[in-house]
Amino acid sequence: MEIVYVGHRNPSNRALLISNKEWKRLGKILTKKMDEEESVEASKRLKEMRRETSKKMVDGWDNTELNKTKKLLEQKRKALSELEVKRQQRDEEMKREALDARNRIIEKACKLKFEERDATKTFYRALLHSEVFKERAIQLKFNAAEREKRMRKDFETAQEQNKEAERYRKHRADEKQKSSELKKSKAKILLKELKDRGDKRNEEQIASRESGKVELQKIAEEIEEAREKAAAEARVAKEKLQKDIADNRTMITKQDDVRETVEWEEEMVTTIMAETKKTLARARRLKEIELAEVKQLALEEMRMRSAAWPTKQNGWAESDVQDAIEMQEKRYREGDRKKRELANRRIEHVKIGNQLWEEEICRRRERLEQDLQSEMNRREREKKLLTEYVDLRGQIQMKNAKQFREQLDKQCNDKRITLLANRQADIDRHKAFERQWHREDEEFLEYAKNVIEKKKLVGNPVMPLLKTMKDYLEKNNLCMDKDNKISKKTPKGPIYTSRIIHHIK
């Protein structure tokens, strides 16, 4: 790579020269991933091509198990296809047979349905009625002859019955007279027996009353004894209860006295212990004062004895005492110096600790300020996001409301269209039903007319059949013209019907 200048040596005129080799190297670096993907794709394509060529080569071989199985499967498929063709032919034949059977069943069902209709049954009853009229005249003549025979026979039997009734009436009167006399005699005997029984019952009632009075008197005496016994038991129980109450009261008073004595003893013990503690504290203080005085006296005595000590050989001199006192003072000053050094070091440590604490407080304050600033920034961002969210939610709500309104309008239009379609379908269905009814009416009337003509030719009465046919026409609001065409009667005025057309199954 080399930097050159085009024209003047200005930074804007500077250019970079790259060799072809370097340019290819940089291009490979940039397109490394794409080259790798292309190489992978090329290897995949090569593998796929090799796999296809190997598959084509193997498919032409006859000595492989796979090709053998393929041939067997092909033969099996051909056999199955032939069987499928035969099965379809058999299915067609079965469908044709089923269709013929279905047509026969439909014809039979239509015939059965025609026979099961109310109008057909009514016409059939009228036909039977007309058949009955043929035998009615013969039956009337036969009934009249039979009635005359029966009347003659009934007259003869009536005369015989009247004779028998007269004889029975006389016999019945004789029996009644005999039974009345017998009843009178029995009544006398019965009255006498009833009187004897009444006297006997009165005597028994008087005796039972006397015995009842004696028993009642005994019962009253027993009740009085039981009452006196209960009163005595109540008095004994009352006295026992009063005694128990008195004993309970004395026991309670004794327990109260014992509790008061125990409390008084506990209070006395606490006061004695307090007084003893006070006396012990006072004695301890006096003892400490006495010990201090004794110690002072012992020190003065030691000073006096030390002043009268001899020198080392002959006794202790005063200079030795002074040296000992100086050494002691030196040790005391040394200890005092160490204490001051420790105190100064402690003060320095305290100062260093205070300084560190102040630095920590400053650091914490700075951290709190940073946290406060970050919290304020977060709150501002949150407030901004909330406002944006509210605006976006309002827009979404408006959009959803608009979509919901459009969906509602679409649903209303669809519902209106389906309602109109349903109404039209109902009207078409009603018209189809009307056509079916008209066809059924024509079939019935044609059948009735043929039957009437046959009966006229035979000579049977046809009044019930004509009456049934007329009733059917009036019931279904039909009329028949001169050419035997059936039509609906046109109403003289407007007819108000329901807007709802019921589905007829």
Side-chain angles (χ1 to χ4, degrees):
M1 289 186 293
E2 186 179 357
I3 297 172
V4 296
Y5 291 91
V6 180
H8 299 288
R9 295 180 65 84
N10 292 328
S12 60
N13 296 331
R14 189 168 59 183
L16 182 66
L17 293 176
I18 302 172
S19 62
N20 190 12
K21 187 178 180 181
E22 189 69 20
W23 178 259
K24 288 180 179 179
R25 187 181 66 80
L26 293 173
K28 286 181 179 180
I29 291 169
L30 293 173
T31 61
K32 185 179 180 182
K33 189 174 181 181
M34 295 173 65
D35 293 339
E36 289 177 355
E37 291 178 356
E38 288 180 358
S39 64
V40 171
E41 290 292 331
S43 64
K44 284 183 180 178
R45 286 197 296 273
L46 182 62
K47 287 179 181 179
E48 191 68 26
M49 186 174 65
R50 288 176 179 173
R51 191 178 294 110
E52 288 178 357
T53 54
S54 64
K55 189 176 180 181
K56 288 178 181 178
M57 289 173 66
V58 170
D59 288 337
W61 295 347
D62 295 333
N63 55 355
T64 59
E65 293 293 333
L66 183 62
N67 290 332
K68 289 179 181 179
T69 54
K70 282 183 178 179
K71 285 182 180 180
L72 291 173
L73 290 172
E74 188 68 26
Q75 293 173 2
K76 198 174 192 179
R77 197 177 297 112
K78 287 180 181 179
L80 289 173
S81 63
E82 293 175 358
L83 287 173
E84 183 66 22
V85 170
K86 292 180 181 179
R87 189 181 64 79
Q88 289 178 0
Q89 292 176 359
R90 180 59 184 163
D91 289 342
E92 290 293 332
E93 293 176 359
M94 289 176 69
K95 284 181 182 177
R96 201 176 298 110
E97 292 174 359
L99 187 60
D100 296 337
R102 180 174 173 273
N103 292 329
R104 289 195 299 272
I105 291 167
I106 288 170
E107 289 177 0
K108 190 175 180 181
C110 291
K111 185 178 179 182
L112 184 63
K113 185 178 179 182
F114 180 77
E115 291 176 355
E116 290 294 328
R117 285 169 57 186
D118 294 338
T120 308
K121 289 180 179 179
T122 306
F123 188 78
Y124 186 68
R125 285 197 296 272
L127 183 62
L128 294 177
H129 195 194
S130 68
E131 292 290 335
V132 170
F133 282 171
K134 290 169 66 176
E135 299 178 1
R136 188 172 182 184
I138 299 168
Q139 287 179 358
L140 288 172
K141 291 179 182 179
F142 180 75
N143 290 334
E146 289 291 328
R147 194 181 301 112
E148 289 178 359
K149 290 179 182 178
R150 196 181 301 112
M151 286 176 67
R152 286 195 297 270
K153 191 175 181 179
D154 289 339
F155 182 72
E156 293 174 357
T157 54
Q159 289 179 354
E160 292 178 359
Q161 286 176 359
N162 289 330
K163 292 178 182 178
E164 290 290 333
E166 188 65 27
R167 287 196 297 271
Y168 178 73
R169 198 180 297 113
K170 289 179 180 180
H171 180 69
R172 186 69 177 167
D174 296 338
E175 291 290 333
K176 281 184 179 180
Q177 188 176 1
K178 290 178 182 179
S179 63
S180 62
E181 292 176 357
L182 184 63
K183 284 181 181 178
K184 286 179 182 179
S185 60
K186 287 181 178 180
K188 289 179 182 179
I189 296 166
L190 183 63
L191 287 172
K192 188 175 180 181
E193 289 179 356
L194 288 172
K195 188 175 180 181
D196 296 337
R197 288 178 183 175
D199 296 338
K200 191 175 180 180
R201 192 181 297 111
N202 290 329
E203 291 176 358
E204 290 177 354
Q205 287 178 357
I206 292 166
S208 63
R209 284 173 189 167
E210 293 295 332
S211 62
K213 286 181 181 179
V214 174
E215 290 179 356
L216 287 172
Q217 189 173 1
K218 289 181 181 179
I219 291 167
E221 291 176 356
E222 290 177 357
I223 290 168
E224 188 67 26
E225 290 178 358
R227 192 179 297 149
E228 290 177 356
K229 188 176 181 181
E233 290 178 354
R235 283 195 300 274
V236 171
K238 186 176 180 181
E239 291 174 358
K240 187 177 180 181
L241 183 62
Q242 290 176 356
K243 187 177 179 181
D244 292 337
I245 291 168
D247 295 338
N248 194 8
R249 285 177 181 172
T250 54
M251 191 181 296
I252 290 167
T253 52
K254 287 179 181 180
Q255 288 179 358
D256 293 336
D257 295 337
V258 170
R259 187 170 59 255
E260 288 176 357
T261 54
V262 169
E263 290 176 356
W264 180 75
E265 288 176 358
E266 289 178 354
E267 290 177 357
M268 288 296 293
V269 169
T270 52
T271 51
I272 290 165
M273 288 177 68
E275 290 295 331
T276 52
K277 286 181 180 179
K278 288 180 182 179
T279 53
L280 288 171
R282 198 178 298 113
R284 193 182 296 110
R285 201 175 297 114
L286 293 173
K287 191 68 174 175
E288 288 176 356
I289 293 167
E290 289 178 0
L291 289 171
E293 291 177 355
V294 170
K295 191 174 181 181
Q296 189 68 28
L297 291 171
L299 288 172
E300 290 179 358
E301 188 176 356
M302 286 176 67
R303 288 194 189 97
M304 290 173 65
R305 286 181 182 178
S306 62
W309 280 351
T311 57
K312 290 181 181 179
Q313 295 177 358
N314 300 321
W316 293 90
E318 189 175 355
S319 60
D320 296 331
V321 175
Q322 290 295 327
D323 293 336
I325 291 168
E326 288 176 0
M327 289 294 290
Q328 190 173 1
E329 288 178 356
K330 187 177 180 180
R331 286 195 299 274
Y332 177 73
R333 282 196 296 273
E334 186 68 23
D336 194 8
R337 184 181 62 78
K338 288 180 179 180
K339 287 179 182 180
R340 281 198 300 275
E341 288 178 356
L342 287 171
N344 293 328
R345 199 178 295 115
R346 193 178 295 112
I347 290 165
E348 290 177 358
H349 286 307
V350 170
K351 286 180 180 180
I352 292 166
N354 290 331
Q355 187 177 359
L356 292 172
W357 178 247
E358 289 176 357
E359 291 176 357
E360 183 67 22
I361 288 170
C362 293
R363 199 180 300 110
R364 289 183 181 179
R365 192 177 292 113
E366 289 175 358
R367 193 182 299 112
L368 287 173
E369 289 176 357
Q370 291 176 0
D371 294 340
L372 181 61
Q373 188 66 30
S374 63
E375 184 67 21
M376 290 175 68
N377 294 330
R378 189 187 66 78
R379 285 181 180 274
E380 289 178 358
R381 288 196 302 273
E382 187 178 358
K383 189 176 179 182
K384 186 177 178 181
L385 289 172
L386 285 172
T387 53
E388 291 177 355
Y389 172 71
V390 170
D391 296 337
L392 183 62
R393 188 176 62 180
Q395 294 175 4
I396 291 170
Q397 285 178 356
M398 290 292 290
K399 187 177 179 182
N400 291 334
K402 189 176 179 181
Q403 290 178 357
F404 185 66
R405 185 63 185 173
E406 291 175 356
Q407 289 177 1
L408 283 178
D409 294 338
K410 187 178 178 182
Q411 289 176 3
C412 290
N413 292 327
D414 295 340
K415 193 172 182 181
R416 195 179 297 109
I417 291 165
T418 54
L419 183 62
L420 293 173
N422 290 331
R423 285 183 180 177
Q424 188 62 37
D426 290 338
I427 292 167
D428 296 339
R429 193 180 295 108
H430 185 69
K431 288 180 179 179
F433 286 141
E434 284 183 348
R435 288 194 295 271
Q436 184 179 357
W437 295 336
H438 187 68
R439 188 170 60 253
E440 289 177 356
D441 294 334
E442 288 179 350
E443 290 176 357
F444 173 72
L445 293 173
E446 186 68 25
Y447 169 74
K449 191 164 62 174
N450 294 330
V451 171
I452 288 169
E453 289 177 355
K454 289 179 181 179
K455 294 298 178 183
K456 281 181 179 179
L457 293 173
V458 174
N460 290 344
V462 294
M463 286 301 295
L465 302 177
L466 293 172
K467 186 177 181 300
T468 305
M469 190 173 174
K470 186 179 178 181
D471 293 339
Y472 181 81
L473 291 171
E474 290 178 356
K475 183 179 179 182
N476 294 301
N477 197 16
L478 300 172
C479 63
M480 188 181 293
D481 56 3
K482 294 179 181 180
D483 297 333
N484 294 327
K485 289 184 179 180
I486 301 165
S487 61
K488 283 277 186 181
K489 287 184 180 179
T490 56
K492 296 180 180 180
I495 297 173
Y496 298 97
T497 58
S498 177
R499 293 173 62 190
I500 299 171
I501 298 172
H502 296 285
H503 297 281
I504 301 171
K505 295 182 180 179

